[in-house]
Amino acid sequence: MSTVFIDGNTAAAYGVKLCKPDVICAYPITPQTPIVEHLAEFVANGELESKYIPIEGEHSAMIATVAAAATGARTFTATSSQGLSYMQEGLYFASGNRLPVVMAVVNRSMGAPWTILAGHDDAIAQRDTGWVQVYCSKGQEILDMIIQAYKIVEDRRVMLPIMVCFEGFVVSHCYDSVQIPSQEEVDAFLPPYEAPYKLDVDDPMIITTFVEADWWLGFKKLHDEAMEAAKKVIEEVDADFAKRFGRSYGGLLNLYRCEDAEVALITMGNLALTSRLIVDRFRERGAKIGLINLRFFRPFPREKLLKALENIEAVCIIERNCSPGGYGGAVFNELRSALYSSGLRPLVLDFLTGMGGRDVTPSELEEMVSKTLKAKETGKAEREVEWVFGRRKA
């Protein structure tokens, strides 16, 4: 194991290299491009024995990845924002054919207006395509989750594609100390992929064929059951990884100072790091605040969230996405749906911010938590859903 000072994109590339994919389909898009550039360099230098295929566009990149995965190859691709949207048709083919594709998604808000900066709206828009989605907060987690991703989705109980998501620039281009495990350690953790079914000229089969309505519905039900099964697999893989490498991310959720909390702050991705600082500040003032880092948005960890919220009186959700014409962000709506049948009735406040690359400062986070504490004390929120533009101060 070695320790290096690298950015998030480089961490992703090293994670892929250690997993030894058979096929890499690459098309550049900011801020993802350095991932596939590093992988091209690894292949060119003989450090990685993979078929590296430069593709003419994101749609073709996904279809080529699907084709390779259908033959039983371990595959990788990466994209961002408009590129992910352009892939959408292929996303359904990957998940519907139950192909364990691993894709890095460097989150960037969708245009128009045009931006190259961070927001979760690109991946959240694809939440119903049937892909597992995990959101990472820093370089070490990215590298580790690329490795875990292959083990999760190649499990026979799952066999679904996965997006390993992290924010553009604030994570993809920022440097941090990252431990890179040895190839021998990763090989012991992640065995070679043996596809349970594949296209083979010596054993012909058909995939993506036309089916009757009842069959189609049955396939979709099996797909949903596999997503549910993934919850257990995610927890098992995290525990195995922690045992071997000494790092655990909590599986579906990562809880911080939640044991006696009365108010919970829920975030995804990089905001979880700053949110820890805010939790500590409020704890010093005597406020019982805890942090729930929602790592997996798909499968949505309903049961674990409800368990974490059993004694919570008010919830402060901070999310980098919105649904124009709806009410609140994706996490807000998923959580309230889960709460509806649970008997739990905490106040839930949703703060929409951080899209289009907008900074979310510690002072703004403090203000959001303060509003949630006030709602807890009064028993009523002034606004359930609020857009936060704030004042630019640290």
Side-chain angles (χ1 to χ4, degrees), residues 256-393:
Y256 180 66
R257 304 190 76 167
C258 286
E259 296 82 4
D260 62 342
E262 297 172 353
V263 171
L265 175 59
I266 298 181
T267 64
M268 292 200 309
N270 182 252
L271 282 176
L273 300 182
T274 310
S275 295
R276 283 189 170 223
L277 169 67
I278 302 309
V279 167
D280 290 341
R281 286 183 184 178
F282 276 95
R283 283 282 179 172
E284 290 170 3
R285 302 168 195 168
K288 293 183 177 180
I289 307 292
L291 170 65
I292 301 174
N293 177 16
L294 180 60
R295 300 186 64 246
F296 281 81
F297 183 70
R298 285 290 183 269
F300 191 75
R302 178 183 182 276
E303 299 83 3
K304 288 201 72 173
L305 264 176
L306 293 177
K307 180 67 176 176
L309 295 174
E310 279 182 343
N311 299 310
I312 298 296
E313 299 177 39
V315 179
C316 174
I317 302 173
I318 302 170
E319 48 189 328
R320 294 182 185 264
N321 74 88
C322 70
S323 179
Y327 186 60
V331 177
F332 177 73
N333 282 283
E334 294 274 357
L335 178 60
R336 297 219 306 177
S337 175
L339 289 168
Y340 181 80
S341 60
S342 71
L344 300 176
R345 292 294 181 268
L347 289 166
V348 182
L349 282 68
D350 194 31
F351 297 93
L352 307 178
T353 189
M355 289 165 271
R358 190 191 178 283
D359 289 336
V360 184
T361 66
S363 62
E364 290 169 0
L365 288 171
E366 283 199 48
E367 188 172 343
M368 295 177 226
V369 173
S370 295
K371 288 182 178 181
T372 308
L373 283 168
K374 182 180 178 182
K376 169 187 166 291
E377 295 302 322
T378 63
K380 183 180 180 180
E382 291 182 12
R383 280 181 285 184
E384 284 187 316
V385 178
E386 181 175 345
W387 287 82
V388 178
F389 296 93
R391 301 174 298 280
R392 289 189 175 273
K393 59 182 181 181

Side-chain angles (χ1 to χ4, degrees), residues 116-187:
I116 59 170
L117 303 178
H120 289 158
D121 41 304
D122 56 353
I124 293 294
Q126 307 302 333
R127 60 185 166 178
D128 295 332
T129 56
W131 285 57
V132 176
Q133 290 190 9
V134 59
Y135 290 78
C136 302
S137 60
K138 58 182 180 180
Q140 186 70 67
E141 187 176 6
I142 295 167
L143 184 146
D144 293 345
M145 278 314 303
I146 291 285
I147 298 169
Q148 289 189 42
Y150 280 104
K151 188 155 189 173
I152 291 166
V153 299
E154 290 175 359
D155 190 289
R156 298 295 177 89
R157 292 167 289 177
V158 181
M159 294 300 292
L160 291 172
I162 184 170
M163 300 180 191
V164 180
C165 304
F166 52 97
E167 288 102 332
F169 295 104
V170 292
V171 180
S172 67
H173 285 63
C174 285
Y175 282 68
D176 197 4
S177 293
V178 175
Q179 290 185 346
I180 302 178
S182 69
Q183 187 65 64
E184 292 74 20
E185 289 174 308
V186 175
D187 288 346

